[in-house]
Amino acid sequence: MLEIYMHYLMKAKMMFLVLLLVALRVSTADVLSDNCRNKCGDVDVPYPFGINFTSGIKNEPTCSLNNFFMFTCNTSFSPPRLMFGRNMPIHNISVEEGAISVQIDAAFRCYNRTGLRRGFAQSITLGGGPFRFSDSRNKLTTIGCDTLALMKDKEATFGSGCISFCSSNITLEGSCSGFGCCQTPIPQSLKTLNIDLRSPNNHSDVLLFNPCEFAFLADERTFNVSKLQLSAQPVQPVKSDVVIEWVVREETCEVAQSGSQYACAANSYCVYSYNGNGYRCICKDGFTGNPYLPQGCQDIDECKEPEKYKCDGNCKNTIGNYTCQCPLGMRGDAKVGCRGMNITAIAAIVGSALSVVIMAVLVIIIYKRRTKEKNFLENGGLLLKHQRVRLFSEAELAKATKNYDATQLLGEGGFGYVYRGTLADNTQIAVKKPKDIDKAQINQEYQHEIGIVSQVNHKNVVKILGLCLETKVPLLVYEFISNGTLFHHIHHNKAPILANWRNRLSIAVETALALDYLHSLADPPIIHGDVKSSNILLDDTYTAKVSDFGASVLISSGQSDIGAKIQGTFGYLDPEYLMTGNLTEKSDVYSFGVVLVELLTGEKPNSSARSGEHVIQYFLSSLENRKLKEILCFGVTNEQQMEEIEVFAEIAKQCLRSCGVKRPSMKQVAEELGRLKRLNDSSWNDDDQTCQETHHLLAQSPYCSIDMGTSESKQHEILSLRTFELEYSTDSI
């Protein structure tokens, strides 16, 4: 009897402890129902957030989860404004999405004929709370025709930006495409942001129609570029909508659930956010409300919302779900549809349904067939049908790529995705498929690329195998290059193939031969326009192959440069091209010089080197101060090899001259690198002879004799260095 009594006593104690723990968890929120204010102006403020009023009204501390979640309601405005910090008005708080929408002043600069007239650089901090700028919804947005916008955090752990050019007055419409407007994403876990503006020409070229430039974070859901005008001069600060993401506490769900301060109430669950490294709470399926309040997640009565929850019979609500039974005399799943028990009626309905389905299938088949025929004709099928080019069917490529499954995705460009595929004969292919954007723009881009690649036949250029003309926009089918990009091998893979100097030299020589072919032997000649390590692929024998001709142009007879909108990749772009907008063969030479530096140093072109200098400047100063060996990212085995590397570095230096006229041609570069490669090959048989020839090459190189001492050349060099320094400039306006 005593044992039974002790047993029930222990159970009673355990029950008391459980009830006490529940009471401790919900006691704070219980106060909310009577004493806490939850509205400022027209903004609802749900728990875990609270409000203090500038008029003197104070909420209890328990009205918010903690002080970080207590905002100020400024009653001096009409209507009152809820403020995040001191100068960011809040216009929406979402518990479900874990997001706060605020308004922030844009950075801007305005010019007149004498130069900069006025401006404002933006510096934003979110304080010490669990708040981060949303990396999924916000983008740095730049408006202007001669504008470079730069951003970094307070600690300068990252830096990025975008540049916008236009040569005439335009109307901003649709998306922000880079013509008068550009956008770039922000990283995760960002709490501070400094936005600054630069103008390469002080707006002198565009002053009449674009006196001001702007840069700001913009919420992609609400941003409308059509509302902005290039000719605008702000009378009041220009504001933008910015999304701030929050977590309830900065710890994992596992840690939170094992502690006494777990914030998720009944009928909710924990979700972890990598943007802020913390967790939020969400109501379970079948419940709705505020997951931070006791009983905040209330059961949804699905029977009262027939437009959302289907029921063709008798509906009955249950906790977290609902049941639905067919009416008497009917059977089936009432959530899908009930059917009668009359066999004749069923047969008639089924017969009618089958007839409709068969007719629909026939219509779809006929429509698809006619659509494919129409696309085939519009894409020049009759002309290409009799050419030496393979025409693939849409079904053949869909099967080869497993219907363009995400696991087959190789990469993504501005206008399309590239998928890996395997044909029926086991041939490996790469299929370039357009994005679902403006058809006219895509057609123009793809026709341009087809016109380029159809001129090319070189072992170091990726070959096009054929086309598919049955789609709205042709699909391009290239040979599959198995070992990925040179960029990946340099910066991510650390592959053994790049562990020695000989292989790096071979890749440089093969790339130079491909570019020399495009400039000198293709008919008509081709400027690649986007030479970079990520556009140099390596096959299964690590032979280099140049790819991606989306930014390339054909050169007509007698034409030396081409005026076009700025395209390419920042860090590889020719400074002269950036300033003039004229693309020349020497623009490819400069970009190739950057790739040579990348092969030597292992550093990304748009990053800072170990010394804090920009990589290109770091390379040039190391070469000037005879410290080249200190910046190499691979081992040097002997003095002969170091002498070859010095010749290689000198070639890179000449390619990087800021004055395009003084750069060597790709033919000269390819010949010089080829000569260096032959010397390297001969070193396997005769080391002494190679050493003598390398000394001769270093002394007699035609590039070493180019004089850089003129005043004009120095001015070009200084301007080039300033272009690179802009990206990491910390000067205020």
Side-chain angles (χ1 to χ4, degrees):
M1 190 70 180
L2 180 60
E3 291 179 355
I4 295 174
Y5 172 76
M6 292 299 294
H7 173 73
Y8 281 105
L9 181 61
M10 289 298 294
K11 290 187 69 175
K13 285 183 178 180
M14 291 296 295
M15 183 65 69
F16 173 76
L17 289 174
V18 171
L19 292 174
L20 179 60
L21 180 60
V22 172
L24 288 174
R25 285 193 176 188
V26 304
S27 59
T28 297
D30 282 341
V31 183
L32 297 176
S33 59
D34 297 326
N35 301 332
C36 297
R37 299 172 180 267
N38 58 7
K39 198 172 185 68
C40 174
D42 56 359
V43 179
D44 292 320
V45 184
Y47 189 81
F49 297 95
I51 315 171
N52 281 326
F53 294 81
T54 56
S55 59
I57 301 174
K58 299 289 184 180
N59 268 328
E60 296 293 331
T62 56
C63 290
S64 66
L65 182 67
N66 53 48
N67 289 336
F68 291 127
F69 289 84
M70 187 69 79
F71 294 142
T72 299
C73 183
N74 192 334
T75 56
S76 63
F77 293 96
S78 181
R81 293 182 183 175
L82 186 66
M83 305 299 291
F84 188 102
R86 290 182 296 177
N87 57 358
M88 289 183 279
I90 300 172
H91 53 82
N92 184 57
I93 299 176
S94 172
V95 170
E96 183 178 358
E97 295 184 345
I100 302 172
S101 295
V102 302
Q103 279 195 332
I104 295 179
D105 292 344
F108 75 93
R109 291 171 28 139
C110 291
Y111 300 82
N112 57 22
R113 296 188 182 279
T114 61
L116 179 64
R117 180 166 59 89
R118 59 194 179 101
F120 170 73
Q122 180 60 275
S123 179
I124 314 167
T125 180
L126 301 184
F131 304 103
R132 303 289 189 276
F133 290 107
S134 173
D135 62 299
S136 61
R137 289 181 57 179
N138 297 320
K139 281 191 176 180
L140 176 68
T141 302
T142 306
I143 304 296
C145 282
D146 184 28
T147 303
L148 172 64
L150 302 171
M151 64 175 174
K152 64 178 181 178
D153 60 355
K154 184 178 180 181
E155 294 77 18
T157 57
F158 93 100
S160 185
C162 69
I163 189 167
S164 173
F165 283 99
C166 45
S167 57
S168 61
N169 194 6
I170 60 173
T171 301
L172 299 176
E173 295 180 353
S175 62
C176 191
S177 62
F179 197 49
C181 173
C182 67
Q183 288 184 320
T184 192
I186 64 173
Q188 288 185 338
S189 302
L190 192 63
K191 290 179 68 70
T192 62
L193 186 65
N194 295 333
I195 301 175
D196 203 355
L197 286 163
R198 294 288 186 272
S199 176
N201 298 307
N202 285 335
H203 274 233
S204 59
D205 296 338
V206 298
L207 188 60
L208 291 178
F209 60 86
N210 181 217
C212 298
E213 57 192 13
F214 304 89
F216 48 85
L217 282 189
D219 178 7
E220 284 195 295
R221 290 188 188 176
T222 60
F223 175 65
N224 185 353
V225 70
S226 302
K227 293 182 179 180
L228 302 172
Q229 299 294 330
L230 291 174
S231 59
Q233 298 193 38
V235 178
Q236 296 180 342
V238 175
K239 297 182 180 295
S240 64
D241 292 341
V242 177
V243 177
I244 298 170
E245 293 181 356
W246 55 273
V247 294
V248 65
R249 285 193 175 90
E250 293 176 313
E251 57 188 11
T252 65
C253 290
E254 292 76 13
V255 172
Q257 289 167 347
S258 64
S260 60
Q261 294 185 330
Y262 183 50
C264 299
N267 301 320
S268 68
Y269 63 94
C270 176
V271 292
Y272 185 74
S273 170
Y274 288 95
N275 188 19
N277 299 320
Y279 76 94
R280 297 187 294 107
C281 305
I282 295 179
C283 289
K284 295 179 180 178
D285 291 342
F287 295 86
T288 185
N290 190 329
Y292 302 100
L293 293 174
Q295 310 305 319
C297 290
Q298 296 293 318
D299 174 59
I300 298 173
D301 190 344
E302 291 86 354
C303 299
K304 293 182 178 179
E305 302 182 42
E307 66 282 355
K308 291 178 63 177
Y309 305 97
K310 183 177 180 180
C311 180
D312 288 343
N314 300 317
C315 182
K316 182 179 179 181
N317 185 56
T318 61
I319 301 300
N321 207 334
Y322 71 107
T323 62
C324 187
Q325 296 180 343
C326 289
L328 185 64
M330 304 286 285
R331 61 189 177 88
D333 185 353
K335 291 184 179 181
V336 178
C338 298
R339 58 184 184 273
M341 300 179 65
N342 189 313
I343 302 300
T344 304
I346 293 175
I349 294 172
V350 171
S352 300
L354 286 175
S355 299
V356 171
V357 169
I358 292 172
M359 290 179 64
V361 170
L362 290 174
V363 169
I364 292 172
I365 292 174
I366 295 172
Y367 174 77
K368 284 187 175 181
R369 181 176 298 174
R370 290 183 176 178
T371 300
K372 289 180 180 180
E373 292 174 354
K374 178 183 177 184
N375 291 333
F376 183 84
L377 294 174
E378 289 181 350
N379 292 325
L382 291 179
L383 178 63
L384 293 172
K385 187 175 182 180
H386 304 290
Q387 301 297 319
R388 296 177 62 185
V389 59
R390 181 173 176 180
L391 298 180
F392 293 89
S393 69
E394 184 180 10
E396 185 179 7
L397 295 184
K399 181 179 179 180
T401 59
K402 299 180 181 178
N403 202 23
Y404 303 100
D405 189 83
T407 59
Q408 302 296 104
L409 184 65
L410 294 174
E412 177 182 356
F415 291 92
Y417 303 96
V418 180
Y419 291 88
R420 179 178 180 174
T422 305
L423 297 176
D425 61 359
N426 291 324
T427 301
Q428 299 290 306
I429 59 172
V431 182
K432 190 168 185 179
K433 185 175 185 289
K435 292 182 177 179
D436 187 18
I437 55 179
D438 181 60
K439 178 186 175 183
Q441 185 182 13
I442 287 288
N443 254 324
Q444 183 180 4
E445 182 73 16
Y446 270 62
Q447 289 173 6
H448 171 78
E449 186 165 350
I450 292 170
I452 295 290
V453 297
S454 63
Q455 311 295 320
V456 177
N457 183 18
H458 191 273
K459 68 177 182 178
N460 296 119
V461 177
V462 176
K463 295 179 181 177
I464 186 169
L465 301 180
L467 309 169
C468 174
L469 304 178
E470 294 180 354
T471 53
K472 289 184 179 180
V473 178
L475 305 180
L476 308 184
V477 182
Y478 289 94
E479 63 174 326
F480 174 69
I481 309 301
S482 58
N483 270 317
T485 67
L486 177 60
F487 181 91
H488 181 78
H489 285 278
I490 294 175
H491 302 293
H492 299 298
N493 197 21
K494 305 299 182 186
I497 187 65
L498 296 181
N500 63 72
W501 158 244
R502 180 182 177 85
N503 292 337
R504 291 176 184 256
L505 177 59
S506 294
I507 291 171
V509 170
E510 289 164 355
T511 305
L513 288 172
L515 295 175
D516 175 34
Y517 167 81
L518 296 177
H519 290 185
S520 305
L521 300 177
D523 186 18
I526 299 167
I527 300 175
H528 187 280
D530 195 15
V531 178
K532 57 183 178 181
S533 58
S534 58
N535 281 342
I536 300 171
L537 307 181
L538 302 179
D539 67 8
D540 50 1
T541 62
Y542 293 98
T543 299
K545 290 181 179 287
V546 175
S547 68
D548 196 346
F549 293 86
S552 302
V553 294
L554 299 172
I555 308 175
S556 303
S557 177
Q559 192 176 18
S560 61
D561 56 54
I562 297 173
K565 71 174 184 179
I566 304 298
Q567 296 187 82
T569 304
F570 195 76
Y572 296 89
L573 283 174
D574 174 12
E576 194 171 62
Y577 173 40
L578 276 173
M579 289 185 292
T580 65
N582 291 327
L583 184 67
T584 68
E585 294 175 345
K586 297 300 181 71
S587 301
D588 281 353
V589 174
Y590 181 91
S591 301
F592 179 71
V594 177
V595 174
L596 296 184
V597 174
E598 206 172 348
L599 279 167
L600 288 174
T601 65
E603 299 284 350
K604 296 179 181 179
N606 54 359
S607 65
S608 296
R610 285 163 287 181
S611 65
E613 298 177 284
H614 190 276
V615 171
I616 302 301
Q617 184 59 33
Y618 179 51
F619 162 74
L620 293 174
S621 61
S622 299
L623 187 60
E624 179 73 21
N625 297 324
R626 298 185 179 275
K627 295 182 179 180
L628 179 62
K629 191 171 184 178
E630 298 178 9
I631 68 172
L632 300 180
C633 65
F634 55 91
V636 180
T637 58
N638 53 52
E639 184 177 348
Q640 296 172 204
Q641 197 175 92
M642 191 62 215
E643 289 174 344
E644 293 175 5
I645 294 170
E646 288 173 355
V647 175
F648 187 91
E650 182 64 29
I651 295 172
K653 175 183 175 182
Q654 306 310 319
C655 293
L656 294 171
R657 285 181 175 272
S658 57
C659 180
V661 175
K662 295 188 176 183
R663 296 173 201 150
S665 67
M666 272 316 306
K667 186 174 186 63
Q668 291 174 299
V669 173
E671 289 175 351
E672 193 75 1
L673 287 174
R675 183 181 174 192
L676 186 60
K677 179 67 168 59
R678 290 191 296 275
L679 290 174
N680 180 269
D681 291 340
S682 68
S683 68
W684 292 74
N685 300 318
D686 189 351
D687 290 343
D688 293 337
Q689 180 182 355
T690 302
C691 183
Q692 294 173 5
E693 291 184 349
T694 304
H695 275 299
H696 175 74
L697 180 62
L698 184 60
Q700 300 299 324
S701 170
Y703 306 143
C704 299
S705 64
I706 299 176
D707 183 18
M708 293 178 59
T710 67
S711 174
E712 181 181 358
S713 297
K714 289 182 178 179
Q715 290 175 2
H716 279 292
E717 288 292 336
I718 293 170
L719 184 55
S720 175
L721 295 177
R722 286 179 178 173
T723 302
F724 284 111
E725 292 169 357
L726 279 175
E727 182 177 9
Y728 297 97
S729 174
T730 57
D731 296 340
S732 58
I733 295 178

